């Protein structure tokens, strides 16, 4: 057991004492979900507001203005209010536990008057089901009044795209819900305000004393003597399905059994500090809790919060998907299926910008249309289109699924290549192609000219289209082929002979020196104290840009150029995105900079768990940063490589004795064990039953 600033860590559990200061923080880190639904951990005794509790559904969006949606905060299926001698039960002094092995969140109270336990589960087997149980043992006589309800008084709090703007104006996205009772089961039916989303709940109750059915609630009122006990439970289907055969114990045991299959195949087993093991498992657990079904993706905060309106960004393809490629490629395929499904909208978006081909939006949600309302980011941070195509190519390389590529991807290669060709500007005087008015991953660099990351990723897309043409899967006119080839050979990619590596863009040398240490005095991002307009003229990097390009397209770099890039950019990077730490850890390990890699790895492991950037409470969990962490563990610490086969070249931190994981490459399953002496690789032979379990789990 290891005690951190906020939590106590065990191999499979996180424990916290609830205080007035950490209530919102715990509502984030004790989140529960299963990829279809997600519930923030607002539990009995917490402060309920209209915005802080409820449920989120993957793909559950509604319009808040013309063309702009928000992820709907659905009615809270498990609101529980407890009154003891007419006094509301407080969360102060209670202890909270997340059991990742069982998928269970528990809160316990211990006073001189009573002891009680509240437990909640979101099912990993039947993904529409959730439930809770409350148990009390009385030490001194008391009166008890409990209300177990479906609470439809929830609201949305749409958050501005400008990260410096705090919105305090909530918005109702639900019409009036209708409740009915039949044979002790409560049913709720409802719609969102524009009928974009329809929902039905059914809720079945159980208790040790009779209760009264009243509207959306069931109420229990009783007098309890010393030594007596009380319990209640409820199981809810968030899709209105029958609950005839379910009680809390059945729900919990089925979910635990399904979760055990996940841990059997996807656990990363560490012999090392208990807090490190716990942090790695928590990242795995949260990816499991947010993994999408076919046709859906993972938002920047998953289903843990409606920050960024629940939208999907490049985070998913660049920071999360690579982990799935080599552990659970079915989930990677699900992520890509969303982009395949919204390809028609990408073509419409390019046309609306007076460009050819297909351009994917910076922020995407319900229907694949652009959700970003700021011009400089929404229209200029165009690299997302190349990021998505890069991920598609990575999927094909990892799986060898060329039939899927031919059927679904090559047309996307072509149309996105056409977008890039029309987005480039040909300069006749220099006979070069330039990329004007683009914003790279370093958003502090502003809207700039010839961002190296954007240009190189765009060229990668064009090369994929040409390769598909050579295979006979695409047909290009001789004029278009010549244009593609000319762009590849004549694109401007800024380079400094003096620095011995690539420049971020043409404006980078002109930016003013910046004293990062003097201004970066806390975990908060610089934009909270320095406006974006000023930041874009300083030589400071928000998150990896050229260095990220080294990870994604290493063929552009010699070893010396990559090390020079690290020497140039790492000292001026503020890490004002949670995506930055894990990727810097991975870059450092790939460059052989183990000591600094370990420092970044430690930051990445505890970004949310110890709220190192001071934004977990108010914004939910950073799912992309967890994907970056797991990339750093697998491809950095373990040194896993898949160039023509599976190999490992580990560099374990000093206090890690051994680490073990299972990976998948081109349909084969491997167990990899790394220790201080090297690595062992074992191909796993699966029985038919085991393969069936994995396929069912992946499905």
């Amino acid at each position: 057991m290891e005690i951190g600033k906020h939590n106590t860590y065990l191999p499979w559990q996180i424990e916290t004492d609830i205080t007035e200061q950490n209530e919102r923080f715990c509502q984030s880190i004790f989140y529960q979900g299963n990829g279809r639904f997600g519930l923030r951990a607002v539990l009995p005794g917490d402060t309920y507001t209209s915005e802080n509790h409820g449920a989120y559904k993957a793909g559950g969006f509604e319009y808040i203005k013309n063309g702009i949606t928000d992820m709907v905060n659905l009615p809270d299926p498990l609101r529980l209010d407890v009154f003891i001698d007419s006094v509301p039960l407080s969360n102060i002094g209670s202890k909270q536990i997340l059991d990742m092995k069982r998928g269970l969140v528990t809160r316990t109270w211990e006073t001189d008057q009573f002891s009680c336990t509240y437990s909640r589960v979101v099912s990993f087997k039947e993904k529409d089901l959730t439930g809770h149980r409350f148990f009390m043992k009385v030490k001194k006589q008391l009166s008890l009044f409990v209300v177990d309800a479906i609470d439809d008084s929830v609201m949305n709090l749409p958050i501005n795209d400008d990260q410096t703007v705090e919105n305090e104006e909530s918005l109702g996205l639900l019409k009036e819900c209708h409740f009915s009772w039949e044979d002790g089961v409560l049913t709720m039916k409802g719609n969102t305000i524009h009928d974009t989303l329809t929902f039905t709940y059914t809720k079945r109750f159980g208790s040790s004393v009779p209760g009264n059915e009243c509207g959306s609630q069931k109420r229990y009122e009783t007098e309890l003597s010393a030594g007596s006990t009380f319990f209640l439970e409820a199981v809810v289907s968030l899709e209105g399905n029958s609950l005839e055969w379910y009680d809390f114990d059945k729900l919990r045991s089925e979910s635990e059994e399904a979760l055990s299959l996940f841990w059997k195949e996807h656990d990363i087993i560490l012999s090392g500090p208990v807090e490190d093991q716990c942090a790695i498992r928590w990242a795995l657990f949260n990816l499991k809790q947010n993994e999408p079904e076919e046709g859906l993706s993972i938002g920047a905060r998953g289903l843990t919060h409606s920050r960024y309106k629940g939208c999907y960004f490049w985070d998913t393809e660049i920071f999360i998907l690579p982990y799935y490629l080599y552990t659970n490629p079915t989930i990677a395929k699900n992520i890509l299926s969303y982009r395949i499904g919204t390809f028609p909208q990408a073509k419409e978006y390019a046309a609306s910008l007076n460009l050819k081909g297909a351009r994917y939006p910076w922020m995407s949600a319900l229907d694949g249309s652009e959700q970003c309302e700021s011009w400089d980011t929404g229209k200029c941070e165009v690299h997302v289109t190349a990021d998505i195509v890069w991920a598609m190519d990575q999927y094909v390389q990892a799986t060898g699924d060329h039939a899927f590529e031919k059927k679904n991807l090559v047309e996307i290669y072509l149309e996105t290549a056409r977008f890039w060709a029309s987005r480039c500007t040909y300069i006749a005087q220099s006979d070069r192609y330039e990329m004007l008015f683009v914003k790279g991953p370093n958003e502090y660099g502003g809207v700039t000219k010839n961002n190296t990351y954007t240009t190189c990723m765009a060229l990668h897309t064009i090369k994929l289209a040409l390769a598909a043409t050579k295979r006979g899967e695409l047909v290009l006119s001789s004029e278009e082929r010549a244009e593609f080839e000319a762009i590849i050979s004549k694109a401007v990619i800024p380079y400094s002979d003096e620095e011995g590596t690539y420049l971020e863009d043409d404006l980078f040398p002109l930016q003013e020196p910046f004293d990062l240490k003097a201004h970066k005095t806390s975990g908060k991002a610089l934009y909270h104290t320095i406006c974006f307009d000023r930041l874009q003229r300083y030589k400071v990097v928000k998150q990896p840009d050229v260095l990220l390009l080294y990870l994604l397209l290493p063929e552009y770099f010699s070893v010396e150029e990559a090390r020079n890039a690290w020497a140039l950019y790492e000292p001026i990077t503020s890490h004002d995105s949670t995506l930055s730490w894990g990727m810097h850890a991975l870059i450092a390990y790939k460059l052989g900079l183990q000591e600094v890699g370990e420092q970044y790895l430690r930051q990445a492991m505890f970004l949310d768990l110890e709220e190192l950037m001071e934004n977990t409470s108010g914004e939910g969990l950073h799912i992309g940063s967890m994907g970056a962490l797991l990339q750093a563990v697998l491809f950095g610490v373990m040194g896993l490589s898949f160039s023509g086969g599976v190999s490992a070249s580990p560099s374990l931190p000093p206090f890690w004795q051994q680490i073990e994981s299972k990976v998948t490459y081109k349909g084969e399953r491997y167990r990899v064990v790394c220790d201080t002496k090297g690595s062992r690789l074992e191909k796993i032979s699966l029985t038919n039953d085991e393969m069936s379990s994995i396929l069912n789990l992946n499905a």
Side-chain angles (χ1 to χ4, degrees):
M1 182 173 68
E2 181 67 24
I3 299 175
K5 178 180 177 182
H6 290 287
N7 306 302
T8 299
Y9 302 104
L10 291 87
W12 289 99
Q13 294 184 359
I14 298 168
E15 298 182 359
T16 300
D17 294 319
I18 305 298
T19 67
E20 292 181 357
Q21 290 73 35
N22 72 359
E23 180 181 301
R24 291 177 70 219
F25 169 71
C26 291
Q27 289 166 5
S28 288
I29 67 164
F30 288 89
Y31 154 89
Q32 288 172 285
N34 56 23
R36 187 182 299 175
F37 291 98
L39 281 70
R40 284 176 61 79
V42 185
L43 308 182
D46 286 347
T47 303
Y48 285 89
T49 70
S50 59
E51 304 90 8
N52 77 342
H53 67 119
Y56 296 115
K57 181 179 182 180
F61 296 94
E62 179 56 283
Y63 291 96
I64 58 175
K65 61 178 76 171
N66 186 32
I68 302 298
T69 61
D70 199 8
M71 186 167 67
V72 179
N73 189 21
L74 290 168
D76 184 347
L78 297 173
R79 175 157 182 174
L80 193 71
D81 291 292
V82 179
F83 300 86
I84 299 168
D85 291 335
S86 301
V87 176
L89 179 65
S90 170
N91 60 14
I92 305 303
S94 62
K95 180 185 288 292
Q96 197 151 299
I97 298 173
L98 169 63
D99 186 333
M100 295 178 285
K101 198 167 189 178
R102 303 170 66 200
L104 195 68
V105 166
T106 303
R107 179 177 285 182
T108 59
W109 293 258
E110 191 69 47
T111 74
D112 60 357
Q113 195 177 11
F114 59 84
S115 61
C116 53
T117 301
Y118 175 84
S119 301
R120 190 175 79 175
V121 66
V122 175
S123 178
F124 287 101
K125 181 180 181 182
E126 303 295 339
K127 290 194 172 184
D128 62 306
L129 296 185
T130 182
H132 65 185
R133 171 179 282 171
F134 179 79
F135 177 84
M136 171 180 281
K137 185 172 183 179
V138 177
K139 300 176 183 178
K140 297 179 181 179
Q141 183 174 347
L142 54 81
S143 64
L144 181 67
F145 177 56
V146 184
V147 179
D148 192 350
I150 297 176
D151 185 354
D152 65 336
S153 65
V154 295
M155 306 275 280
N156 269 55
L157 189 67
I159 300 172
N160 197 290
D161 289 352
D162 183 346
Q163 298 177 58
T164 65
V165 174
E166 294 289 340
N167 179 34
E168 297 179 354
E169 296 182 11
S170 57
L171 177 66
L173 292 181
L174 306 181
K175 294 180 180 178
E176 182 181 358
C177 295
H178 300 281
F179 297 89
S180 60
W181 290 86
E182 184 175 353
D183 297 329
V185 174
L186 173 62
T187 298
M188 179 199 72
K189 295 180 180 291
N191 294 64
T192 51
I193 53 174
H194 301 300
D195 297 322
T196 303
L197 184 64
T198 300
F199 48 89
T200 302
Y201 291 1
T202 49
K203 186 171 183 177
R204 186 181 185 199
F205 302 81
S207 66
S208 57
V209 301
N212 296 317
E213 300 168 359
C214 181
S216 62
Q217 307 173 348
K218 190 159 189 178
R219 301 176 179 180
Y220 305 91
E221 191 166 7
T222 185
E223 297 289 330
L224 297 172
S225 58
S228 62
T229 60
F230 168 86
F231 90 90
L232 66 79
E233 63 178 44
V235 176
V236 183
S237 168
L238 300 174
E239 294 177 343
N241 294 324
S242 172
L243 299 168
E244 183 178 359
W245 305 109
Y246 274 96
D247 59 14
F248 184 79
D249 282 335
K250 178 177 174 62
L251 171 67
R252 181 181 58 186
S253 63
E254 281 190 355
S255 179
E256 185 178 337
E257 182 180 357
L259 189 56
S260 70
L261 294 174
F262 166 78
W263 287 120
K264 179 181 178 182
E265 287 303 316
H266 300 291
D267 192 13
I268 296 177
I269 304 168
L270 176 67
S271 296
V274 65
E275 69 271 24
D276 295 357
Q277 173 69 92
C278 186
I280 291 170
R281 281 188 173 136
W282 191 66
L284 292 166
F285 184 61
N286 277 301
L287 285 184
K288 173 63 177 172
Q289 290 195 114
N290 289 280
E291 66 185 22
E293 297 175 298
E294 186 176 1
L296 296 169
S297 190
I298 304 175
R301 300 296 182 266
L303 299 173
T304 76
H305 199 278
S306 60
R307 184 73 171 101
Y308 302 115
K309 301 188 283 249
C311 287
Y312 313 130
F313 291 77
W314 71 309
D315 305 26
T316 316
E317 281 79 16
I318 299 299
F319 301 94
I320 299 173
L321 183 137
Y323 159 74
Y324 284 123
L325 287 178
Y326 298 102
T327 57
N328 195 344
T330 299
I331 302 302
K333 193 173 185 178
N334 287 352
I335 291 170
L336 295 181
S337 71
Y338 171 78
R339 300 298 189 179
I340 294 167
T342 57
F343 178 50
Q345 289 87 341
K347 290 194 286 187
E348 292 174 7
Y349 190 33
S352 75
L353 300 171
N354 306 110
L355 295 167
K356 297 178 181 179
R359 191 225 139 148
Y360 283 97
W362 177 244
M363 295 172 63
S364 182
L366 176 67
D367 61 358
S369 61
E370 179 66 81
Q371 296 297 296
C372 184
E373 299 177 81
S374 58
W375 169 82
D376 62 328
T377 299
K379 296 298 187 290
C380 300
E381 201 150 355
V382 290
H383 63 80
V384 59
T385 297
D387 300 331
I388 291 166
V389 175
W390 176 88
M392 291 173 173
D393 177 50
Q394 291 291 302
Y395 173 81
V396 176
Q397 292 186 42
T399 63
D401 193 350
H402 294 285
F404 176 79
E405 179 184 37
K406 184 176 180 179
K407 179 181 178 182
N408 298 288
L409 305 182
V410 292
E411 185 183 358
I412 297 176
Y413 297 167
L414 174 60
E415 294 299 334
T416 51
R418 285 173 171 162
F419 161 75
W420 288 117
S422 64
R423 187 61 175 78
C424 290
T425 300
Y426 177 68
I427 309 298
Q429 296 93 321
S430 60
D431 189 28
R432 302 295 297 274
Y433 288 88
E434 304 211 30
M435 194 77 73
L436 306 180
F437 299 101
V438 295
K439 178 181 280 196
N442 169 26
E443 294 169 333
Y444 288 171
V447 178
T448 187
K449 174 171 170 275
N450 293 326
N451 173 257
T452 294
Y453 176 94
T454 304
T455 299
C456 292
M457 292 291 283
L459 296 181
H460 177 259
T461 299
I462 295 172
K463 291 173 184 176
L464 287 174
L466 288 173
T469 303
K470 290 181 180 178
R471 296 194 301 267
E473 296 171 358
L474 290 175
V475 177
L476 290 178
S477 67
S478 57
E479 293 80 8
E480 190 166 38
R481 182 182 303 188
E483 181 186 25
F484 285 0
E485 291 172 346
I487 292 171
I488 291 171
S489 63
K490 298 179 181 181
V492 174
I493 303 175
Y495 190 92
S496 169
D497 291 327
E498 181 181 353
E499 299 290 351
T501 195
Y502 296 96
L503 295 178
E504 187 175 284
D505 52 54
D506 282 348
L507 302 184
F508 180 79
L510 306 179
Q511 292 174 319
E512 302 172 39
F514 182 73
D515 189 343
L516 181 58
K517 290 184 179 179
H519 289 88
K520 183 76 172 179
T521 57
S522 71
K524 285 189 175 181
L526 289 172
Y527 56 74
H528 289 293
T529 54
I530 304 173
C531 75
F532 274 103
D533 178 66
R534 192 69 186 94
L535 281 171
Q536 67 184 349
R537 297 193 298 279
Y538 282 133
K539 194 167 287 186
V540 60
V541 177
K542 179 185 178 185
Q543 59 188 332
D545 194 304
V546 172
L547 287 173
L548 181 60
L549 179 65
Y550 162 66
L551 280 183
L552 305 187
L553 298 177
E555 60 267 25
Y556 276 93
F557 295 79
S558 68
V559 173
E560 183 179 4
E561 286 172 329
R563 284 182 168 269
N564 289 341
W566 178 271
L568 177 60
Y569 296 110
E570 190 271 344
I572 61 172
T573 301
S574 63
H575 307 292
D576 284 348
S577 165
T578 55
L579 302 171
S580 185
W581 300 97
M583 301 313 271
H584 268 80
L586 177 53
I587 295 162
Y589 273 104
K590 284 188 173 294
L591 292 175
L593 306 173
Q594 184 173 343
E595 185 175 344
V596 69
E598 292 163 7
Q599 296 170 8
Y600 277 119
L601 183 70
R602 194 140 197 89
Q603 290 284 108
M605 284 193 290
F606 295 98
L607 274 174
D608 280 327
L609 282 171
E610 294 294 332
E611 200 165 20
L612 299 181
M613 292 186 66
E614 303 178 34
N615 59 357
T616 304
S617 299
E619 297 187 3
L621 304 181
H622 300 80
I623 309 302
S625 71
M626 298 180 194
L629 164 63
L630 295 174
Q631 286 195 59
V633 171
L634 294 176
F635 312 137
V637 175
M638 297 181 71
L640 283 165
S641 175
F642 302 90
S643 299
V646 183
S647 63
S649 180
S651 301
L652 272 59
F655 299 106
W656 291 16
Q657 292 81 47
Q658 181 175 292
I659 186 167
E660 176 183 336
S661 181
K662 293 178 182 176
V663 295
T664 299
Y665 179 63
K666 293 190 175 179
E668 299 286 354
R669 194 78 170 153
Y670 301 85
R671 178 182 290 107
V672 186
V673 180
C674 299
D675 56 28
T676 55
K677 298 179 182 178
S679 63
R680 301 190 304 277
L681 185 68
E682 172 192 356
K683 184 181 287 189
I684 302 172
S685 298
L686 299 171
T687 66
N688 289 334
D689 288 343
E690 288 172 328
M691 179 58 77
S692 176
S693 296
I694 294 172
L695 291 174
N696 289 335
L697 176 67
N698 291 346

